[in-house]
Amino acid sequence: MNSSENAQKFPRTYWREIELPTFKPLEQDISVDVAIVGAGITGITAAYLLTKEGQKVALLEAGGILNGTTGHTTAKLTAQHGLIYDEFINHFGKEKARLYYESMMMAVQFVENTVNERGIKCDFSKQDAYVYATTDEYADKLKTEWEAYKSLDIEGALKDSIPFNIPAKAALMMSNQAQYHPLKFLKALLDEAVQAGCSVYENTIANDIVDDHSEPKVITKNGQRVTAKHVIIASHFPFYDKPGLYFARMYADRSYAIGVRTNQEYPGGMYISADSPSRSIRYTPLDNGENLLIIGGENHKTGQGVDTQKHFEELQTFTEEVFGIKEYQYRWSAQDNVTLDKMPYIGPYTEERKNVLIATGFKKWGMSTGILAGHIIKDYIVGGTNRFAALYSPSRFHADPDLKEVISTNADVAKHLLKGKLEIVEKVPEDLQEGEGSVVMFHGKRAGAYKDENGKLYIVDTTCTHLGCECEWNRAEKSWDCPCHGSRYSYAGDVIEGPTKKSLELLQGE
């Protein structure tokens, strides 16, 4: 099988093709100053900063470190998060919109400073970032956004083209942004944290928090207890969601990326389309002196939309037409949470639970937001002041746009809940080909079936164990995805992503 066929058949992310340390699971009760759940960009950044402050830290990861969204990013380190600044001015005012920009630029600067001070080799480079439009409608929106840039003193420019064979009508540039290899960078931070005394436990699933309001205890799936003065929930979607109801305050969104080599010279810069279908363009240097072109996009709500395999096919077609593909080596996807007002939630879990902290809702911009979250949470814990903290408080509520988004988001959930329950299913497990999965009828009820390459059938109850929506088959990644709140399961029903914590019922198979 050649590399193109391999990339298309098996999801494979470029970032994880480095050697990462491994750690044993937690096997006994422990007591620390800070327990961090989730070893991605937020968890590792917080662990690094807190150990430097003399805190005793334990970092718990359900699987392997850096194997979640952080390991499946396009790795743009930027404050240009689509067309948001005009919207933020209208909803929050100029002062808060400017504060958002400054907070993200702080994250960019932190990475640059740390790379230079520590001599971290992570392919860091300064790049200008561009949002481009291919329609008149979005060209006009870029002009409006440019006015927002000028009113907020954001350094940039409005241009009329981009250096690719794409019919762009306008492009908005933000100066002095960056790109890097996130796992090389975060591995260096983790190494320093471990040397400073941070304990790391892989394959350790956090199931619950028992909170006596002085020393919360993280309870693992296997029954161990981690007693701490503070708990940080950095698990992408909160594993603990009893009083916060975060599942009703966010929705899950998937996106896709491919990595190819091309014969074209790359002119530099990072690019993303304003209009649909979404397209993200950047490069990263390879060890052999060539560049890997990373093309992303094809966003949709988890469990909703067309056959997921088609998203990779659309990216491949776009890349071939614009750049030409010399070798197709990688493909991967990621899931992100989007809040009601598009502002991340960073800070105390609720107003009453200030010793449990959360960071979530990064809306696909975790490279800057995750770094920022580590700093904000560190300051909460050590008593430092952080001028960005109030902006991201999870306890905020704004009538506009939050109220309308609550109604819209939960109406969408209700629609998909009913759709799954009323769906007429004609297929049966015996109809499946090897390597195929589908919703089927099994013993007179809706179920999900997958037949592996050896002809073995795995049949699951497709009712999501979170709140009862019916999961849909994800062909590209051989998973069952919930269209209501974004929970994902393997073809055998094991949990891949929350908010759920309980597997689907396996009706047939191992």
Side-chain angles (χ1 to χ4, degrees), residues 264-371:
Q264 283 195 26
E265 290 290 323
Y266 192 85
M270 307 180 297
Y271 304 80
I272 192 167
S273 62
D275 33 20
S276 295
S278 58
R279 296 289 181 262
S280 168
I281 305 167
R282 66 155 287 198
Y283 81 96
T284 192
L286 297 172
D287 291 340
N288 63 4
E290 295 187 60
N291 290 328
L292 184 75
L293 185 66
I294 298 173
I295 306 295
E298 292 287 309
N299 304 359
H300 67 89
K301 285 188 176 182
T302 299
Q304 303 181 25
V306 301
D307 177 359
T308 50
Q309 183 67 32
K310 295 188 182 300
H311 296 297
F312 287 117
E313 293 169 359
E314 290 294 333
L315 291 179
Q316 182 179 356
T317 299
F318 169 82
T319 306
E320 183 64 66
E321 290 175 351
V322 176
F323 299 97
I325 297 175
K326 178 181 175 182
E327 187 175 19
Y328 180 0
Q329 294 177 281
Y330 303 93
R331 70 165 220 200
W332 64 88
S333 65
Q335 183 155 306
D336 289 271
N337 300 313
V338 183
T339 70
L340 300 177
D341 60 5
K342 300 181 184 178
M343 195 77 75
Y345 299 134
I346 306 169
Y349 188 77
T350 65
E351 289 182 345
E352 296 76 29
R353 312 287 287 268
K354 296 188 181 298
N355 56 357
V356 177
L357 299 120
I358 192 168
T360 189
F362 295 172
K363 68 177 190 303
K364 303 187 187 302
W365 299 105
M367 293 297 98
S368 51
T369 312
I371 296 287

Side-chain angles (χ1 to χ4, degrees), residues 122-388:
C122 61
D123 306 322
F124 179 90
S125 65
K126 298 294 287 289
Q127 302 283 331
D128 292 331
Y130 296 80
V131 181
Y132 69 89
T134 59
T135 63
D136 291 332
E137 176 188 1
Y138 276 89
D140 288 340
K141 290 183 178 182
L142 289 187
K143 294 175 184 177
T144 302
E145 187 76 351
W146 172 230
E147 294 303 315
Y149 276 29
K150 290 190 288 187
S151 72
L152 297 173
D153 294 323
I154 295 175
E155 185 179 351
L158 185 65
K159 298 178 177 292
D160 57 11
S161 65
I162 56 176
F164 305 119
N165 184 27
I166 296 173
K169 295 179 179 290
L172 180 58
M173 184 264 284
M174 183 180 286
S175 305
N176 296 315
Q177 307 305 296
Q179 64 183 27
Y180 68 149
H181 190 304
L183 271 62
K184 289 180 180 178
F185 176 76
L186 292 167
K187 177 181 179 294
L189 296 196
L190 184 60
D191 288 344
E192 284 204 31
V194 169
Q195 290 170 13
C198 176
S199 301
V200 184
Y201 303 95
E202 292 183 311
N203 300 307
T204 300
I205 299 173
N207 246 13
D208 201 358
I209 296 175
V210 177
D211 191 359
D212 63 6
H213 297 283
S214 60
E215 288 194 333
K217 296 173 178 62
V218 177
I219 312 301
T220 72
K221 185 177 181 180
N222 292 334
Q224 284 82 29
R225 293 187 168 216
V226 181
T227 302
K229 297 174 184 175
H230 291 88
V231 173
I232 300 172
I233 301 175
S235 54
H236 187 52
F237 198 101
F239 75 93
Y240 175 71
D241 201 37
K242 291 177 182 175
L245 297 178
Y246 283 91
F247 68 84
R249 300 166 62 190
M250 299 187 293
Y251 66 86
D253 204 64
R254 291 198 71 73
S255 57
Y256 302 80
I258 64 174
V260 307
R261 290 193 300 129
T262 176
N263 288 322
Q264 283 195 26
E265 290 290 323
Y266 192 85
M270 307 180 297
Y271 304 80
I272 192 167
S273 62
D275 33 20
S276 295
S278 58
R279 296 289 181 262
S280 168
I281 305 167
R282 66 155 287 198
Y283 81 96
T284 192
L286 297 172
D287 291 340
N288 63 4
E290 295 187 60
N291 290 328
L292 184 75
L293 185 66
I294 298 173
I295 306 295
E298 292 287 309
N299 304 359
H300 67 89
K301 285 188 176 182
T302 299
Q304 303 181 25
V306 301
D307 177 359
T308 50
Q309 183 67 32
K310 295 188 182 300
H311 296 297
F312 287 117
E313 293 169 359
E314 290 294 333
L315 291 179
Q316 182 179 356
T317 299
F318 169 82
T319 306
E320 183 64 66
E321 290 175 351
V322 176
F323 299 97
I325 297 175
K326 178 181 175 182
E327 187 175 19
Y328 180 0
Q329 294 177 281
Y330 303 93
R331 70 165 220 200
W332 64 88
S333 65
Q335 183 155 306
D336 289 271
N337 300 313
V338 183
T339 70
L340 300 177
D341 60 5
K342 300 181 184 178
M343 195 77 75
Y345 299 134
I346 306 169
Y349 188 77
T350 65
E351 289 182 345
E352 296 76 29
R353 312 287 287 268
K354 296 188 181 298
N355 56 357
V356 177
L357 299 120
I358 192 168
T360 189
F362 295 172
K363 68 177 190 303
K364 303 187 187 302
W365 299 105
M367 293 297 98
S368 51
T369 312
I371 296 287
L372 169 69
H375 283 80
I376 290 176
I377 288 174
K378 181 267 293 184
D379 287 335
Y380 269 113
I381 290 173
V382 302
T385 58
N386 190 300
R387 65 192 185 96
F388 306 124

Side-chain angles (χ1 to χ4, degrees), residues 88-90 92-99 148 150-152:
F88 281 179
I89 288 172
N90 289 327
F92 306 122
K94 282 180 62 175
E95 182 179 347
K96 290 182 177 178
R98 172 68 192 185
L99 207 58
K150 290 190 288 187
S151 72
L152 297 173

Side-chain angles (χ1 to χ4, degrees), residues 111-127:
V111 174
E112 181 176 9
N113 291 346
T114 305
V115 166
N116 292 334
E117 291 167 5
R118 301 287 192 273
I120 301 173
K121 296 181 179 179
C122 61
D123 306 322
F124 179 90
S125 65
K126 298 294 287 289
Q127 302 283 331

